[in-house]
Amino acid sequence: MTWVWLWGAERREAALVAETASAAIAGLTATLLVWRLFQALELEAAHASAGLTATIWLLLAAVELDHWHRSTRFRHVRLGIASVFGASGAVALIAALTILNPVFNGWSETIVAGPGVLNTLLAAYLMPACMLVVGGLRLRARIPVAMGIGTGLVWFFAAIRHFWQGGEGMTLDHGISAPESLSYSLAVICVGAILFFLGVMRGVVMVRRMGTVLLGLAAGKVFLLDAASLTGLIRVAAFAGLAAALGGLAWLDRWAKAALGRRERA
């Protein structure tokens, strides 16, 4: 409550410092608690450590940038500090997405540990994804939001693969089964529809276009890949589901154009 008292005392510069420090401490505490919980449950993995490290540094960078936007003092210093913090977080996140990704590497430190959704993938990808999206929305910056959505998609598809293959069968060397492939298609359709809807509701063209691209990719995947591996009634059901999805997409497109038209007239 220190920052509330400082705002009342018209010491806004000090209030900004207190507010951003409080946000940073809260985020760091939550991240470190998750880290300790994973250690207590013996769910340690290299990708989880990298993801948690990225979350901490990205949080600190977002706090500095937020203060930089709302303050007139020490702006160059804050921007430099935010750049260092952001670069550190980006390096850790890139490592989690590439060399430490359990889908690409099967050595012991990249094996996914934990039951169901509550596993090391949560710390590796979902936490930094949420940090990027929330921070980007707070700062009104599109690039962090797009990066967060991309990282969230990595978590989503890794979680699906973990469901079908288990913690030790995450690598692509184990192949992709037909049910798993269909799960990816349904996931892309759901995520694309959600992004499309949010993009229209929030008036963010980039998010709406990302949703449209995902829906188009899902349709192409079903036609070119999934249908070839299915037979009989299952193939019929798959095409029926795709037809329903495309019909829903057409309805969403008409609804979006009508909503945008009403918004422009208002």
Side-chain angles (χ1 to χ4, degrees):
M1 298 298 292
T2 303
W3 68 274
V4 177
W5 176 78
L6 289 172
W7 273 113
E10 297 185 355
R11 300 176 61 181
R12 298 199 172 186
E13 186 68 28
L16 281 174
V17 175
E19 180 183 353
T20 52
S22 300
I25 291 172
L28 287 171
T29 301
T31 304
L32 291 174
L33 285 176
V34 174
W35 208 331
R36 293 299 299 271
L37 176 63
F38 275 34
Q39 290 180 340
L41 297 175
E42 297 182 352
L43 302 181
E44 300 181 36
H47 54 277
S49 298
L52 287 171
T53 301
T55 303
I56 292 174
W57 286 112
L58 292 172
L59 171 64
L60 293 174
V63 168
E64 286 295 327
L65 286 175
D66 184 58
H67 203 172
W68 174 74
H69 274 295
R70 297 191 291 159
S71 175
T72 58
R73 301 180 61 184
F74 308 111
R75 288 176 61 86
H76 295 294
V77 176
R78 291 195 176 101
L79 184 59
I81 294 174
S83 300
V84 173
F85 289 166
S88 301
V91 170
L93 183 58
I94 291 172
L97 292 170
T98 55
I99 60 175
L100 301 179
N101 194 323
V103 176
F104 304 132
N105 298 285
W107 44 291
S108 60
E109 292 296 326
T110 62
I111 293 177
V112 178
V117 181
L118 300 176
N119 51 45
T120 51
L121 295 172
L122 184 101
Y125 306 118
L126 185 60
M127 290 186 67
C130 292
M131 181 65 252
L132 285 167
V133 171
V134 173
L137 292 176
R138 171 75 175 180
L139 299 171
R140 297 181 180 179
R142 295 182 178 182
I143 294 178
V145 174
M147 293 172 59
I149 293 174
T151 306
L153 289 175
V154 172
W155 169 80
F156 194 45
F157 292 113
I160 292 175
R161 184 160 181 83
H162 179 261
F163 174 80
W164 289 105
Q165 303 290 346
E168 298 183 357
M170 294 288 293
T171 58
L172 295 176
D173 296 339
H174 291 83
I176 300 176
S177 62
E180 181 184 352
S181 181
L182 281 175
S183 299
Y184 293 140
S185 300
L186 293 174
V188 172
I189 291 173
C190 293
V191 173
I194 291 172
L195 290 178
F196 186 89
F197 178 79
L198 291 177
V200 173
M201 293 298 295
R202 305 285 295 184
V204 182
V205 178
M206 182 190 68
V207 176
R208 179 165 59 88
R209 287 177 178 173
M210 289 179 65
T212 304
V213 170
L214 288 177
L215 289 170
L217 290 175
K221 179 178 179 297
V222 171
F223 272 115
L224 298 176
L225 299 178
D226 294 337
S229 62
L230 300 176
T231 57
L233 292 177
I234 298 179
R235 177 179 290 185
V236 175
F239 277 110
L242 177 61
L246 292 176
L249 176 59
W251 176 84
L252 278 174
D253 184 64
R254 291 196 299 270
W255 173 80
K257 290 180 179 178
L260 290 175
R262 289 193 299 268
R263 186 175 300 175
E264 290 176 356
R265 289 193 297 270

